[in-house]
Amino acid sequence: MLPFASSGSKVTPRHHVSGYSNGYPRGNTFELSPHRFQPRLNSTPAGRRRRRFYLRLGALIALGLFGLYYFFSNGAVLPLFSLGLLSGGEDFELETVRYYDLSNVQGTARGWEREERILMCVPLRDAEPHLPMFFSHLRNFTYPHHLIDLAFLVSDSKDRTLEVLVENLEAIQASEDDAAHYGEISIIEKDFGQKVNQDVESRHGFAAQASRRKLMAQARNWLLSAALRPYHSWVYWRDVDVETAPFSILEDLMRHNKDVIVPNVWRPLPDWLGGEQPYDLNSWQESETALALADTLDEDAVIVEGYAEYATWRPHLAYLRDPYGDPDMEMEIDGVGGVSILAKAKVFRSGVHFPAFSFEKHAETEGFGKMSRRMGYSVVGLPHYTIWHLYEPSVDDIKHMEEMEQERLAREEEEKEKAEKAQKIKEQFSDPNSQWEKDKTEMQNIAIKDKAEKASKEKVKDTTGSSPKQAGAAAEKPAEKPAEKKPAAKKERIGGGAAKVEET
Amino acid sequence: MARPLGPVRLKKTNPITLLIGAVLCIFIIYFLAAPASSDFSKARKSTAASHPLSPPTSPFRKSTSKKGKVSPPPVARYNLNNVTITSDPIAARENVLILTPMARFYQEYWDNLMQLNYPHELITLGFILPKNKEGNAATTALQQQIAKTQKSGPERDRFKSIIILRQDFDPPLQSQDESERHKMQNQRERRAAMSKARNSLLFTTLGPATSWVLWLDADIIETPPTLIQDLAAHDKPIVAPNCFQRYYNAEKKKMDERPYDFNNWQDSPKAQEIAAQMGPDEILLEGYAEMATYRALMAYMTTDGGDLHQEVPLDGVGGTALLVKADVHRDGAMFPAFPFYHLIETEGFAKMAKRLGWHPTGLPNYKVYHYNE
């Protein structure tokens, strides 16, 4: 009903009696907004009350619903009003399902082109002194860094290995250069309670080898099982104490497209030991002798290479090196050394690991090589592609070096002495006339004295003749310069020495 | 009656209409704003990995913001000295990894998995499926169930993380039929492939946080809901329950059960004698008349009404259901795909674990049930 209907007219006019013919009431023409909505005036007070009641009820329900929502969503009101556009710090969802097709991560010869991921495993123990050298290698790898995942196992370390490691890695990940960043970095801490010392002597002593190798194997397995992911195509094992290696070693080894591949490992030596030496003797080909030897040993025995106790006559990768040989030459091997192993991840996925028990009489990396062969994988060494292990002198070497040092010192001392003597001789004989003069004058003096004594003797009677002579000699001695006296005293010895030299 | 002429739309609004409108508005706003509310609670979010390159046993944060470049992965430290393995895994909040090599998907398997009452937020599931027609069908079915649980199910039912792997080698047999599968000459090849599948699954999913690994075959359709807690309570490195199968006994005219898994055994002198005469590449198999080993089989050690927690030492184990301390696998115990002491797969695993100093235990009266084809 129209407002003006209430003015009493019974007939609805076809056109508005007054105002604009637009259906709006005339009202006050001079109002600012004449077309403003006007509430209907015909509502009864009861209707109005009812409407107010509904309004309040509606508001109450809305408030209640909002309160419920607030209560159940733990106070996350913001997204409600921002319509999800203004969400705060938590702009992520949880992804709980991962799907991987393992046939995509087989590993190929040119992995860097197919973006194949490498897991690099580094076992560490009290390795703080070697870390700077290791990181200098790490920064320089030519394989795309974002495709390399790093995994470290820090076990039973008493020095600051862990702290230094974390500092260096965080510095790499925080670097400005995107190409420097690595992929996933995991640091695994696990103490095995190893009682075997890590110093060179106890590390390489024959008796400790079997149990030491088994513990090392255990550590390697823990590291691998914690770090291997379904998206890895390759696994690269690297020791921290490699001193020199090509920066392109990953590509160089990968190019061969073998299941397991190792380079030759040598170490530089001081000159007195020959300049260089094969280091890793765990890469070898199996021999009849060794197989026969293995049959005689009991179940838990471990054959370790490089010790006189087990003469295996195996061809070692290390001894076959020719510095001018073709670096791409391959050699089939059965045992592998752990300094630097590149293996396809599928080898580890299929269950091959580092036996921490005696597997075909071998443990750790040698057992790994054996097991890989058992599973039908190709295991290859490169005899002429060499990396260099750090030279750490053994206790014998240190003893030897100490002896050499003492010898050297003794020699130096002798030389110094000789030089001194020569100097002195030179000093002594540089102006021999003066001495002769002196001696001459002395002799003359004596002769004069003798004459004087004789004269006095003749004058005085001989009973007290000796005492003036002594007094005269005593008076004469202080007159000699001490500096002159000493060389004179030495002169005899030198003279003796010189005489000997002359004799010879 | 004719409506009085005048401006249209001046009918009195029904307050109920208003109310419905308001409620509708609230709903619309709610659904506009709340797609994220199907996500996880704060507690779960806080334990998630911050980068997709992370151990698969934990969920990761999938950034929903488009802006900004991806930051490099953080330096993650895992202290394995703090990963406990206790006989009360719920109290210690220990992570369990359930691993299943799957060739066929059985709905009963999934239902049984769902009814395990170990806290699901501590359970990670790992599956490996072959890449053939059967495998594809199983993957599809599995993914449907996973989506149902992880996306729209109640949070209590959702698992911590789920990993699906597809095998990188072909299964040696085209058919997984019972009769074909158990032919003796096919066994070695089949079990070698099975070993590789198990190892691939195990070593890519174990990660640094797992305390227990539960091997559960895809055709295990009935277990007690407290399976994990019950087996862990024994605090043994390797615990195998007894695997049975329900079937319709035509003689007794009622449902009955019979032993199924014969790979849980104690060694016998006879078996060792046979093994000693074998070539290095031959394997000993259990449950075949051609090769009588006289081993003591756990399948026959069960006694009616016997103690559920009775333990027997074992020398060989089957993989149908097996709870293993993660340390056993970390030490390197795996499923040999080659004859290891003339044993292969799960039996070889038991042998290898023993070589590493971990001894398997069997529970003859604690039963799980295998699907009946």
Side-chain angles (χ1 to χ4, degrees):
Chain A
M1 289 264 242
L2 292 168
F4 56 81
S6 61
S7 59
S9 83
K10 296 276 188 274
V11 185
T12 311
R14 183 162 295 271
H15 301 286
H16 288 283
V17 184
S18 59
Y20 316 100
S21 52
N22 58 359
Y24 285 92
R26 174 76 186 266
N28 190 352
T29 317
F30 301 104
E31 237 179 48
L32 275 171
S33 49
H35 297 172
R36 196 180 55 184
F37 170 73
Q38 306 265 319
R40 282 181 291 182
L41 302 175
N42 67 335
S43 49
T44 56
R48 248 180 282 153
R49 237 178 285 133
R50 196 166 57 217
R51 204 160 51 181
R52 218 177 294 147
F53 168 72
Y54 280 130
L55 261 174
R56 281 177 188 161
L57 193 71
L60 216 72
I61 290 171
L63 213 74
L65 278 175
F66 184 75
L68 272 177
Y69 172 78
Y70 185 87
F71 181 73
F72 281 114
S73 64
N74 300 325
V77 196
L78 187 73
L80 190 66
F81 292 113
S82 63
L83 299 179
L85 299 172
L86 252 183
S87 40
E90 289 198 4
D91 51 351
F92 62 86
E93 289 174 16
L94 280 200
E95 183 56 72
T96 57
V97 184
R98 305 182 191 219
Y99 179 94
Y100 302 102
D101 187 342
L102 296 180
S103 50
N104 294 335
V105 287
Q106 292 298 295
T108 60
R110 302 169 72 81
W112 56 97
E113 287 172 356
R114 296 187 68 244
E115 302 233 311
E116 292 175 355
R117 298 199 71 84
I118 300 183
L119 171 67
M120 183 166 160
C121 294
V122 187
L124 297 171
R125 193 150 88 84
D126 288 331
E128 190 193 347
H130 304 317
L131 283 176
M133 187 176 72
F134 173 74
F135 275 97
S136 72
H137 285 285
L138 199 62
R139 285 194 194 88
N140 285 317
F141 274 132
T142 51
Y143 199 87
H145 286 196
H146 70 279
L147 298 176
I148 305 178
D149 294 329
L150 304 175
F152 301 89
L153 179 87
V154 182
S155 58
D156 303 275
S157 282
K158 279 161 229 73
D159 61 4
R160 289 183 67 252
T161 303
L162 190 65
E163 288 83 353
V164 174
L165 185 68
V166 172
E167 277 166 26
N168 275 289
L169 289 170
E170 276 174 353
I172 288 178
Q173 293 304 79
S175 106
E176 295 284 309
D177 181 14
D178 280 350
H181 300 154
Y182 278 92
E184 183 187 0
I185 298 182
S186 341
I187 299 174
I188 317 282
E189 294 165 59
K190 170 69 188 175
D191 297 326
F192 296 99
Q194 297 184 5
K195 278 152 200 87
V196 187
N197 284 325
Q198 190 72 351
D199 64 83
V200 178
E201 193 62 10
S202 53
R203 227 164 66 183
H204 293 284
F206 175 75
Q209 276 293 312
S211 60
R212 195 188 82 83
R213 298 293 298 269
K214 286 177 182 173
L215 280 168
M216 273 300 296
Q218 195 188 11
R220 284 184 193 267
N221 291 334
W222 277 66
L223 174 54
L224 183 86
S225 62
L228 189 65
R229 310 272 179 258
Y231 44 76
H232 288 137
S233 299
W234 297 89
V235 178
Y236 180 54
W237 287 90
R238 174 73 171 252
D239 275 3
V240 76
D241 39 14
V242 170
E243 194 177 41
T244 319
F247 299 142
S248 59
I249 185 165
L250 289 170
E251 292 96 320
D252 294 344
L253 296 178
M254 194 181 284
R255 254 199 342 254
H256 291 265
N257 202 11
K258 295 292 176 199
D259 295 322
V260 179
I261 189 166
V262 290
N264 204 341
V265 184
W266 278 48
R267 66 172 179 184
L269 287 184
D271 287 336
W272 60 270
L273 278 171
E276 57 185 30
Q277 185 189 38
Y279 178 77
D280 194 340
L281 298 181
N282 294 331
S283 303
W284 39 256
Q285 232 168 32
E286 194 52 277
S287 70
E288 295 293 320
T289 322
L291 287 175
L293 171 69
D295 284 340
T296 66
L297 300 172
D298 70 276
E299 195 184 24
D300 286 321
V302 174
I303 297 179
V304 280
E305 205 52 54
Y307 294 88
E309 285 85 343
Y310 288 137
T312 55
W313 304 105
R314 285 168 172 155
H316 288 85
L317 185 68
Y319 290 121
L320 296 173
R321 172 173 175 253
D322 171 6
Y324 306 104
D326 174 14
D328 282 340
M329 198 185 118
E330 294 173 1
M331 171 187 168
E332 290 267 311
I333 52 176
D334 295 276
V336 301
V339 178
S340 166
I341 306 174
L342 184 73
K344 290 187 177 171
K346 71 172 181 192
V347 174
F348 290 104
R349 279 202 302 268
S350 68
V352 179
H353 62 284
F354 300 93
F357 54 92
S358 170
F359 179 79
E360 296 178 7
K361 307 296 182 293
H362 290 280
E364 212 213 346
T365 57
E366 292 169 292
F368 165 72
K370 279 259 169 188
M371 204 184 279
S372 303
R373 294 295 293 232
R374 192 85 169 86
M375 295 275 289
Y377 291 114
S378 54
V379 184
V380 155
L382 303 178
H384 309 316
Y385 185 96
T386 314
I387 65 170
W388 296 86
H389 193 272
L390 188 74
Y391 167 67
E392 288 170 289
S394 68
V395 172
D396 272 347
D397 284 357
I398 289 172
K399 218 182 278 169
H400 192 128
M401 280 199 289
E402 267 168 16
E403 274 168 24
M404 287 208 324
E405 182 69 12
Q406 274 168 5
E407 245 171 58
R408 193 180 60 81
L409 283 177
R411 211 166 43 233
E412 255 173 31
E413 182 75 15
E414 207 175 292
E415 266 165 24
K416 209 169 110 195
E417 232 165 58
K418 238 183 230 171
E420 239 169 47
K421 278 177 201 166
Q423 180 70 22
K424 271 162 205 161
I425 290 167
K426 217 172 148 197
E427 269 173 22
Q428 291 296 335
F429 295 99
S430 60
D431 193 5
N433 294 335
S434 64
Q435 192 63 36
W436 284 117
E437 285 299 317
K438 226 182 272 168
D439 291 351
K440 214 196 269 173
T441 48
E442 234 169 87
M443 274 156 53
Q444 279 170 349
N445 283 346
I446 293 169
I448 292 165
K449 260 184 210 163
D450 281 348
K451 275 182 188 168
E453 267 175 38
K454 273 178 189 166
S456 61
K457 257 185 190 170
E458 280 163 21
K459 279 183 185 171
V460 191
K461 279 291 159 193
D462 58 345
T463 45
T464 56
S466 64
S467 59
K469 183 192 167 188
Q470 275 179 342
E476 257 172 63
K477 264 178 190 165
E480 271 183 325
K481 279 178 192 171
E484 279 173 350
K485 190 182 177 183
K486 247 177 157 179
K490 257 191 179 173
K491 197 175 129 190
E492 277 171 51
R493 252 176 59 198
I494 295 168
K500 266 183 199 164
V501 169
E502 273 163 29
E503 270 168 36
T504 56
Chain B
M1 204 188 121
R3 190 177 67 87
L5 287 176
V8 207
R9 201 254 153 285
L10 280 172
K11 226 169 133 191
K12 194 176 163 191
T13 325
N14 194 336
I16 307 242
T17 320
L18 267 176
L19 197 73
I20 291 171
V23 170
L24 218 73
C25 271
I26 289 173
F27 264 95
I28 288 170
I29 289 178
Y30 178 82
F31 280 111
L32 264 179
S37 69
S38 72
D39 214 348
F40 291 88
S41 66
K42 278 248 166 63
R44 281 221 199 178
K45 280 193 165 183
S46 65
T47 58
S50 60
H51 200 277
L53 293 176
S54 54
T57 46
S58 70
F60 63 91
R61 298 172 182 193
K62 195 172 65 178
S63 178
T64 49
S65 70
K66 311 274 184 294
K67 59 178 189 286
K69 58 174 184 176
V70 187
S71 57
V75 178
R77 284 171 62 171
Y78 308 98
N79 194 335
L80 283 172
N81 295 319
N82 298 339
V83 176
T84 59
I85 304 178
T86 64
S87 54
D88 188 2
I90 295 184
R93 311 259 327 143
E94 291 168 358
N95 289 299
V96 177
L97 179 63
I98 300 182
L99 297 179
T100 304
M102 186 176 273
R104 280 186 191 167
F105 180 81
Y106 297 107
Q107 185 60 41
E108 295 91 332
Y109 162 81
W110 186 261
D111 295 342
N112 179 60
L113 207 57
M114 292 299 293
Q115 55 94 43
L116 289 180
N117 62 15
Y118 194 84
H120 284 200
E121 74 262 22
L122 297 174
I123 297 180
T124 298
L125 306 179
F127 300 94
I128 188 160
L129 303 104
K131 278 190 89 176
N132 53 14
K133 218 172 120 203
E134 256 186 349
N136 291 345
T139 310
T140 314
L142 176 67
Q143 279 173 322
Q144 272 170 4
Q145 291 304 317
I146 289 174
K148 215 163 96 188
T149 309
Q150 296 296 102
K151 295 255 155 56
S152 47
E155 185 166 337
R156 187 167 42 81
D157 279 355
R158 293 186 212 158
F159 296 100
K160 185 181 184 194
S161 174
I162 297 177
I163 308 128
I164 305 169
L165 301 181
R166 300 305 295 276
Q167 259 166 234
D168 51 350
F169 50 90
D170 294 325
L173 289 178
Q174 285 309 303
S175 171
Q176 280 285 321
D177 283 326
E178 185 91 349
S179 54
E180 186 69 16
R181 218 168 66 186
H182 288 265
K183 273 186 193 156
M184 196 168 170
Q185 55 269 41
N186 291 334
Q187 273 291 302
R188 191 178 147 187
E189 251 185 293
R190 192 188 79 83
R191 295 195 68 185
M194 192 67 181
S195 305
K196 276 167 102 175
R198 283 186 193 274
N199 291 330
S200 300
L201 180 57
L202 171 67
F203 288 110
T204 53
T205 57
L206 190 58
T210 306
S211 298
W212 299 90
V213 177
L214 176 67
W215 289 95
L216 196 64
D217 271 2
D219 32 25
I220 296 298
I221 52 165
E222 188 190 333
T223 68
T226 52
L227 178 71
I228 295 169
Q229 301 93 299
D230 291 347
L231 297 185
H234 288 268
D235 200 18
K236 292 280 188 261
I238 303 166
V239 187
N242 217 346
C243 181
F244 273 62
Q245 187 179 43
R246 292 191 195 280
Y247 72 111
Y248 181 73
N249 192 329
E251 287 168 24
K252 294 185 188 166
K253 299 267 191 290
K254 60 171 183 140
M255 287 307 286
D256 205 348
E257 56 182 44
R258 59 188 172 201
Y260 184 85
D261 190 345
F262 298 111
N263 290 332
N264 295 305
W265 42 256
Q266 296 170 337
D267 215 348
S268 69
K270 176 75 183 165
Q272 289 186 339
E273 200 179 295
I274 299 175
Q277 285 160 9
M278 278 181 154
D281 283 337
E282 287 179 276
I283 57 166
L284 270 171
L285 287 168
E286 198 48 59
Y288 291 89
E290 305 94 293
M291 195 186 279
T293 57
Y294 303 101
R295 287 165 174 162
L297 303 183
M298 185 169 80
Y300 299 125
M301 291 180 196
T302 182
T303 47
D304 283 331
D307 176 19
L308 269 187
H309 296 292
Q310 183 201 338
E311 297 176 1
V312 294
L314 293 180
D315 297 303
V317 297
T320 46
L322 196 63
L323 188 73
V324 183
K325 287 185 178 179
D327 286 4
V328 177
H329 286 310
R330 290 201 176 100
D331 275 353
M334 52 83 164
F335 302 90
F338 50 87
F340 182 74
Y341 291 83
H342 307 291
L343 302 169
I344 199 166
E345 210 213 344
T346 53
E347 295 163 287
F349 161 71
K351 180 68 191 173
M352 198 178 280
K354 286 184 80 168
R355 296 283 286 122
L356 288 162
W358 303 102
H359 292 272
T361 306
L363 308 179
N365 292 319
Y366 196 93
K367 290 177 190 164
V368 299
Y369 293 93
H370 194 272
Y371 186 80
N372 190 0
E373 300 175 57

